[in-house]
Amino acid sequence: MISFVFPWAFLALPLPWLIWRFVPAHKETVPAIRFPFFRQVISEAQLTPAKGAVIMRRSWLQVIAASLIWILLVIAISQPERLGAPIETSKSARDLILAIDISGSMDTRDFTDASNENVQRLAGVRDVVRAFVEGREGDRMALIVFGSKAYLQSPLTEDTGTIVELLDQTEVGMAGPHTAIGDAIGLSIRTFEASEIEQRLLILLSDGADTASRMSPLNAAEIARGAGVEIFTIAVGDPDATGENRVDVAALQDIANRTSGSYFFAADQAALDEIYARIDELAPRLTETQSFRPRQTLHHIPLILAMFIGIGTVAQLQLASHRKMRA
């Protein structure tokens, strides 16, 4: 399909004819030689004298060539372009951050897997999260791990394969033995600031109580709410344990409530799998589809044709003049 960027340029097509029809011919006063036997000359030549300048007549070749060149120039000015077939692209309309606790307590082997065997908490979590990430191909995700401090393993990216690889390389204690839930939320907020997408979701998983944050989790949750971040919290571990090994269920519930999110508790891998499936339902993949048509400019074609017509016409006129002089 051919379209024109400036179709109004075609209004200039009749301009040369309008000038020829309504604008007086150009006249110049030039020196002339006057001689006494002028009447005898025109009488012998059988001519009738007239006042004014002489307008030279153009040949049919000049008229046709000038018309074609003008038409081609107007077409070039109108910027013709070829429109390709529509191409649709999809991009994520929601940013999602996974914040996973890798403190020392995540090494506890009390997490029941699908075969009813007790496995390391982090190993059980990793298997479920891996399947969750792989099922959301095309989403923009980031990965944060936290212990005594919070670390950004991967910034927001649509390369979910990288998220899975980094998740598989994560080990207990890499970020320290303690738990900094508030710092993990704060780092998530800073990560979201690099994005212009308004839909922001943080999935935070922890098996302990906050003992190392510079900012309390509840204050961090209030800031997250102001930044438009929705937080889903997941508690794993033993809520009846003591000290740092006790999962702070009340704090995780409060964080979710303050940000209009949801709270979940997973006692084993099957329950965690159901939780992530539920999250997938509550926050399905959200994409924006954009359509565009590739454009290929064609204005050079009429310019090249006009150039060849002009060169060919001049060459033909010069050749005809040369033959006339020789005749």
Side-chain angles (χ1 to χ4, degrees):
M1 177 180 175
I2 305 297
S3 66
F4 299 91
V5 178
F6 306 115
W8 47 262
F10 288 103
L11 295 175
L13 278 175
L15 185 60
W17 180 84
L18 293 174
I19 293 175
W20 173 80
R21 180 68 179 80
F22 297 105
V23 177
H26 175 67
K27 297 180 180 180
E28 289 184 4
T29 301
V30 297
I33 299 176
R34 186 174 182 178
F35 48 92
F37 45 87
F38 176 73
R39 295 183 182 278
Q40 288 86 346
V41 172
I42 62 173
S43 178
E44 291 295 333
Q46 296 182 350
L47 296 174
T48 301
K51 295 181 179 181
V54 176
I55 301 175
M56 298 183 65
R57 295 184 178 277
R58 297 175 178 84
S59 66
W60 63 269
L61 177 61
Q62 289 176 297
V63 173
I64 294 176
S67 300
L68 289 176
I69 290 173
W70 176 251
I71 293 172
L72 291 170
L73 288 177
V74 171
I75 293 175
I77 292 172
S78 68
Q79 292 285 326
E81 56 185 17
R82 179 184 289 116
L83 295 179
I87 297 176
E88 290 188 354
T89 58
S90 297
K91 69 174 185 177
S92 176
R94 176 190 286 118
D95 283 341
L96 191 154
I97 295 180
L98 301 173
I100 298 177
D101 188 347
I102 58 170
S103 61
S105 57
M106 289 292 286
D107 194 34
T108 306
R109 304 181 68 86
D110 63 350
F111 210 63
T112 306
D113 63 6
S115 58
N116 289 324
E117 294 183 1
N118 288 336
V119 297
Q120 182 194 56
R121 289 178 183 175
L122 180 60
V125 168
R126 195 160 43 202
D127 291 341
V128 176
V129 174
R130 183 189 302 111
F132 174 78
V133 172
E134 290 175 346
R136 297 182 70 100
E137 183 177 354
D139 273 0
R140 273 168 44 104
M141 287 189 180
L143 176 63
I144 290 175
V145 295
F146 62 95
S148 300
K149 292 185 178 180
Y151 297 94
L152 180 64
Q153 291 290 86
S154 171
L156 289 165
T157 177
E158 293 184 3
D159 185 3
T160 53
T162 298
I163 301 290
V164 171
E165 289 180 10
L166 291 171
L167 182 65
D168 289 339
Q169 296 170 11
T170 301
E171 298 294 340
V172 172
M174 287 176 58
H178 305 295
T179 306
I181 296 175
D183 289 353
I185 297 174
L187 181 56
S188 300
I189 296 170
R190 289 196 296 273
T191 304
F192 281 128
E193 288 176 353
S195 171
E196 296 180 356
I197 296 178
E198 296 182 359
Q199 295 281 343
R200 300 171 176 182
L201 174 63
L202 168 62
I203 302 177
L204 185 145
L205 182 146
S206 178
D207 73 335
D210 188 278
T211 56
S213 290
R214 290 171 293 180
M215 176 186 297
S216 74
L218 299 185
N219 287 342
E222 289 292 339
I223 297 173
R225 181 176 64 179
V229 178
E230 184 180 6
I231 303 178
F232 286 2
T233 56
I234 303 174
V236 297
D238 186 1
D240 297 324
T242 59
E244 294 186 14
N245 293 327
R246 182 183 66 86
V247 59
D248 193 347
V249 171
L252 294 177
Q253 288 176 331
D254 204 355
I255 291 170
N257 292 335
R258 288 172 185 251
T259 59
S260 302
S262 299
Y263 162 79
F264 305 92
F265 178 80
D268 52 30
Q269 194 175 55
L272 185 61
D273 202 9
E274 292 178 3
I275 289 170
Y276 273 98
R278 176 59 178 160
I279 292 175
D280 217 8
E281 295 176 0
L282 294 175
R285 286 191 60 223
L286 189 61
T287 59
E288 291 180 351
T289 301
Q290 297 179 333
S291 177
F292 73 96
R293 305 185 70 172
R295 300 171 182 267
Q296 179 185 5
T297 181
L298 303 174
H299 70 278
H300 60 283
I301 296 177
L303 288 177
I304 293 174
L305 291 176
M307 181 184 68
F308 280 122
I309 292 175
I311 293 174
T313 302
V314 171
Q316 178 63 28
L317 292 175
Q318 290 292 334
L319 183 61
S321 177
H322 182 67
R323 288 176 179 174
K324 188 175 180 179
M325 292 177 61
R326 294 182 59 184

